[in-house]
Amino acid sequence: MKPAENEIPLWPLITGIGVIAFGTILLEFRANVLLSIVFIILGTILILSWYILYTKKKFELSHKYGTDCICQICGHDKPLDCIKVKCKCCIVMKENKVIGHSNNPLQ
């Protein structure tokens, strides 16, 4: 199954939470303090990388489709809402693929 174009992967977040939990369990059992700290740092890095990827993707989408939708027909505030619903009044499509968003409903 191929992920959607606008979808942000969740595997760094889920893996980071799991690695932090594993490091905390090792710390709880007093197995090896240095090893558990390494696991906690690795999990934190994975979560931060997911957050950076998430904000970068949202920033790209907001600049690609504009900042707000001012179309009086559909009444959406954000272009991503129009794209999810595929409003025929303000999105630009080419062969069943959304290529942009327009604030001019009289195209």
Side-chain angles (χ1 to χ4, degrees), residues 8 52-67 80:
I8 299 160
I52 290 169
L53 182 68
Y54 177 79
T55 55
K56 180 182 173 186
K57 190 69 156 178
K58 289 293 183 184
F59 183 74
E60 287 174 359
L61 288 175
S62 68
H63 282 311
K64 181 178 179 181
Y65 298 123
T67 55
L80 291 177

Side-chain angles (χ1 to χ4, degrees), residues 11-99:
W11 69 266
L13 178 66
I14 295 170
T15 307
I17 291 171
V19 169
I20 288 176
F22 182 69
T24 307
I25 289 171
L26 284 178
L27 193 63
E28 188 75 26
F29 289 143
R30 299 183 192 271
N32 189 349
V33 176
L34 185 61
L35 184 64
S36 63
I37 290 174
V38 168
F39 275 117
I40 291 172
I41 290 172
L42 182 67
T44 306
I45 290 171
L46 281 170
I47 291 174
L48 287 176
S49 68
W50 172 82
Y51 181 72
I52 290 169
L53 182 68
Y54 177 79
T55 55
K56 180 182 173 186
K57 190 69 156 178
K58 289 293 183 184
F59 183 74
E60 287 174 359
L61 288 175
S62 68
H63 282 311
K64 181 178 179 181
Y65 298 123
T67 55
D68 55 349
C69 179
I70 57 172
C71 177
Q72 298 296 323
I73 298 170
C74 67
H76 291 127
D77 294 333
K78 300 190 184 230
L80 291 177
D81 295 336
C82 295
I83 291 169
K84 286 179 186 174
V85 183
K86 292 189 177 179
C87 295
K88 292 176 176 49
C89 56
C90 54
I91 62 169
V92 181
M93 295 185 74
K94 182 176 183 181
E95 297 176 3
N96 282 339
K97 185 177 179 186
V98 177
I99 60 170

